[in-house]
Amino acid sequence: MIERSAVKILVLDDESFMLKLLSRILSNLGFTSVILCDSGRAALDQIGGADGGPNLILLDLNMPEMDGIEFVRHLVGRHYTGSLILVSGEDERILQTAEKLVQAHKIPILGHLHKPVKPETLSALLETWTSPSVDRPRAAKKIYGADELRAAIDRGELVNYYQPKVAVASGEVVGVETLVRWRHPVDGVVFPDQFIGLAEASGMIDDLTQAVFTEAVTQAKAWQQARLALRVAVNVSMDNLSSLNFLNFVAELVEKVGVAPQDMTLEVTESRLMQDTRAPLEILTRLRLKRFRLSIDDFGTGHSSLAQLRDIPFDELKIDQGFVHHAWTDETLRAMYDASLSLARQLGMEVVAEGVEDRNDWDLLHRTGCDLAQGVFMSRPMLAADLPGWIEGWRERVRNERLIQANNEMTQ
Ligand code: C2E
Ligand code: CA
Ligand code: CA
């Protein structure tokens, strides 16, 4: 049971009437530690402070200056660790879409409320909530300092995990994505959302990416020598693309190790791609000229225009996991999934669906002709040593569970 008065709730709405109404409802429910903000900017000042900021935000989607969706993007940038409830006068469909966008950013969402807000609905939402950050203070998400990360990179505590990318039509494993983890001597395995932002903010991202890339290329070579033809993808931060450093580094390294650049894929996140301008685009184009494969990651969460996509010669488009899992049953997700797939087709890119979590997701990909699948339905990220064994098991599953026949039979 959580102590309601200890839970910090922030209410963000541009209408002062709504602020008063919501704070009254909350206080009647026993939530007395409530901060009211009438603009996104004022609310952002409350996030990530020394006291840890709010545990829950009630967010109005329609605000004049900074709307709710933009606010969510700032929350991600500030590594907000609390939960969210969306509030809006818009129709159900818009609220649902907004909810998916928030989920894509991995912020826990309790649900959405229609205006006018009814006390019983808000109360019911709050009943379902066990505030994670209040129940388990700090232990869950520790904040690390730049010095600690620096030492970790130097001591080689960063380890690459690899998650398979599988061709949907044939069931074949055609590549892997490298996902870095920090094997912390005390805290155990630390996930990248806890240190990539720090590396970017403190000027260490070049060193981090170089370490990850070096291990990945070496591994790619080892797999080739073991007759495993796998393309290896590495995540690249936009900050890596602001100077020629990274370009020169990767070009020289693949040459030295003896791996063809077209066997290495560089994944760049869509949301950050379109904020920055010339320098990164030029460097991406030059990487492409050097025959590296380029992939646009988390597609659907940013706002790239068709023109921008056409300008940068991407080889691959990854549909964000927020639009894949459950797209077989949810029509809003399905619309985003279909649109992304057909856009990629028109621009001649290979399509990867991320977040394939179960058989239903897999079957949708199969039916719609998506090229590649990635997600826990196949496998979670694993250590390189575990991959050959996993591939054997997967091939057996493809046969036993008839993963590539199912749809042909259905259409016949
Ligand atoms: P991403 O590039 O979108 O990577 C996919 C994330 O989804 C991974 O989280 C992966 O473990 C997770 N995932 C895999 N299968 C499923 C599934 O079926 N369902 C769901 N819901 N999630 C799944 P992870 O490893 O925690 O990485 C988080 C993010 O950190 C990555 O997102 C990537 O943006 C970033 N990252 C990881 N490694 C690096 C790196 O070496 N350099 C940089 N710059 N960023 C990295
Ligand atoms: Ca990625
Ligand atoms: Ca992604």
Side-chain angles (χ1 to χ4, degrees), residues 159-166 173 175-181 183 189 191 215-216 219 223 228 230 232-233 373-395 397:
V159 196
N160 287 355
Y161 278 59
Y162 300 92
Q163 188 177 35
K165 290 178 170 176
V166 173
V173 184
V176 292
E177 173 179 3
T178 309
L179 293 156
V180 67
R181 272 101 183 85
R183 239 192 255 159
V189 176
F191 286 83
E215 198 182 317
Q219 188 57 57
W223 278 324
L228 269 179
L230 293 171
V232 179
Q374 191 182 336
V376 299
F377 178 63
M378 279 71 60
S379 170
R380 292 187 184 284
M382 66 189 110
L383 290 167
D386 296 328
L387 194 79
W390 175 83
I391 292 180
E392 270 181 44
W394 168 251
R395 286 187 181 141
R397 264 184 77 194

Side-chain angles (χ1 to χ4, degrees), residues 35-333:
I35 309 164
L36 307 176
C37 296
D38 63 2
S39 74
R41 200 157 310 166
L44 285 176
D45 289 341
Q46 306 285 333
I47 314 295
D51 62 347
N55 308 110
L56 172 68
I57 300 177
L58 268 62
L59 170 64
D60 179 23
L61 280 182
N62 316 82
M63 295 181 292
E65 251 172 74
M66 183 192 295
D67 69 33
I69 299 293
E70 186 183 351
F71 179 76
V72 167
R73 227 173 297 126
H74 286 290
L75 283 182
V76 176
R78 282 164 203 238
H79 306 292
Y80 174 63
T81 54
S83 309
L84 206 61
I85 292 179
L86 301 179
V87 187
S88 172
E90 299 286 349
D91 68 19
E92 178 72 16
R93 205 179 152 81
I94 295 192
L95 271 167
Q96 273 190 19
T97 311
E99 206 174 304
K100 298 308 174 205
L101 284 169
V102 174
Q103 282 167 352
H105 285 302
K106 301 195 184 96
I107 294 178
I109 184 153
L110 304 191
H112 54 250
L113 293 169
H114 289 277
K115 289 183 181 178
V117 174
K118 295 197 196 77
E120 3 9 312
T121 327
L122 178 54
S123 168
L125 272 187
L126 291 168
E127 284 298 336
T128 64
W129 181 51
T130 47
S131 162
S133 30
V134 172
D135 284 349
R136 293 181 266 116
R138 247 135 289 194
K141 284 233 164 143
K142 190 170 152 190
I143 310 278
Y144 294 96
D147 297 347
E148 287 171 279
L149 182 58
R150 174 81 267 164
I153 297 174
D154 294 344
R155 283 198 292 257
E157 285 171 14
L158 300 188
V159 196
N160 287 355
Y161 278 59
Y162 300 92
Q163 188 177 35
K165 290 178 170 176
V166 173
V168 180
S170 64
E172 215 137 299
V173 184
V174 295
V176 292
E177 173 179 3
T178 309
L179 293 156
V180 67
R181 272 101 183 85
W182 174 2
R183 239 192 255 159
H184 193 284
V186 179
D187 301 341
V189 176
V190 180
F191 286 83
D193 59 332
Q194 271 174 279
F195 58 87
I196 295 294
L198 171 64
E200 288 174 345
S202 48
M204 281 184 263
I205 193 68
D206 266 347
D207 288 349
L208 186 148
T209 308
Q210 290 182 10
V212 172
F213 192 89
T214 304
E215 198 182 317
V217 176
T218 314
Q219 188 57 57
K221 181 74 186 175
W223 278 324
Q224 280 175 13
Q225 285 168 339
R227 306 229 177 146
L228 269 179
L230 293 171
R231 269 190 209 138
V232 179
V234 174
N235 289 286
V236 171
S237 160
M238 280 310 275
D239 297 344
N240 295 132
L241 304 175
S242 57
S243 79
L244 287 174
N245 256 352
F246 179 71
L247 173 99
N248 293 333
F249 177 83
V250 292
E252 279 163 27
L253 190 69
V254 289
E255 165 107 45
K256 194 174 102 196
V257 178
V259 170
Q262 54 267 36
D263 290 333
M264 300 299 296
T265 303
L266 305 172
E267 297 191 6
V268 189
T269 296
E270 186 208 10
S271 55
R272 292 219 38 212
L273 188 60
M274 303 308 162
Q275 289 168 11
D276 303 75
T277 40
R278 222 128 334 132
L281 301 194
E282 190 189 312
I283 291 173
L284 278 173
T285 307
R286 291 182 57 189
L287 282 163
R288 185 67 184 68
L289 288 172
K290 289 187 183 293
R291 303 274 180 273
F292 286 96
R293 290 184 89 243
L294 300 183
S295 170
I296 183 161
D297 204 355
D298 302 338
F299 190 77
T301 60
H303 343 244
S304 30
S305 71
L306 202 58
Q308 283 164 318
L309 279 182
R310 214 177 267 141
D311 287 347
I312 309 167
F314 284 104
D315 304 272
E316 178 183 280
L317 179 150
K318 300 187 81 172
I319 307 177
D320 190 79
Q321 47 192 263
F323 306 109
V324 173
H325 180 47
H326 281 151
W328 61 275
T329 171
D330 179 315
E331 48 178 283
T332 311
L333 296 187

